[in-house]
Amino acid sequence: MNQKRDRQFGVPSPALQRMPVYYRRLRQAIEEGVPFVSSDDLGRSVGMPGAQVRKDLSYLSEHGRPGVGYDARSLAAHLEEFLGLVNDKEAVLVGVGNLGRALALYPGFAHYRLQIIALFDNHSDKVGQTVGERQILPVEKLANLAQRLHIQIGIITVPDGAAQEVADAMVTGGIKVIWNFAPCRLTVPGDVLVKNEDLAAELAALSHHITQRKVIVSGGAGREDGAGRGREEHLC
Ligand code: NAD
């Protein structure tokens, strides 16, 4: 994704991506009754040193107390506001297959105030079925429903060959944020933000990491043969 577009209020994208993980660690600390959390502790949750955490949080003007750490409740509240977790967000999901169904039934989104209010598919066997009390609607109704209900977020879980047409319908419906799980790059207007989740490419990166570890453990020099390299992303 475009690095510039991924910046929020001047926060670089990698720092932004670590913030929800800090938030999750803080929630855990609060539930355990721990009032202060050190930058080293937060750093362990993202595999980064405490210095990186301090730098990330300085973008929010959050500065922990030396030797004490960050006030867990205060920082969690600040992150909630910054990440927009205090606002209810409504989404639609298109493509109720293996992944779409799992996402539609995932209860964890509620913690982030995200509600998937409508499901769409183009398969006649699926339209009319019920998933978690929501009836699957024909995809032809997507743009109109999104527009009528002022939906902000569209989730794409269709095969890559269908992703662009689904994105186009979302844009027509006024959706401004697309969470795309299809392994391809979408073309959208400049005011639409696309977040791509390429799970297969992530897996390839993990595979690469394991391969490299094996090379280091066995003391071998290794060779550049492309094994484990992420798949090329292609246009939808
Ligand atoms: P799937 O075949 O089980 O489901 C796809 C669904 O999309 C089906 O219900 C199909 O009817 C629907 N669909 C197809 N074209 C459509 C269109 N034009 N409009 C509306 N609905 C349409 O596939 P899946 O395994 O759930 O994967 C979905 C996407 O997510 C794929 O792009 C895949 O590469 C990606 N993905 C899946 C997984 C996974 O674990 N299943 C992991 C990573 C990425």
Side-chain angles (χ1 to χ4, degrees), residues 94-100 120-123 126 139 157-160 162 165-166 181-183 199:
V94 184
V96 196
N98 294 307
L99 184 59
F120 296 90
D121 206 288
N122 74 343
H123 199 292
K126 295 199 172 170
V139 71
T157 48
V158 297
D160 53 357
E165 62 178 282
V166 169
F181 286 83
L199 301 187

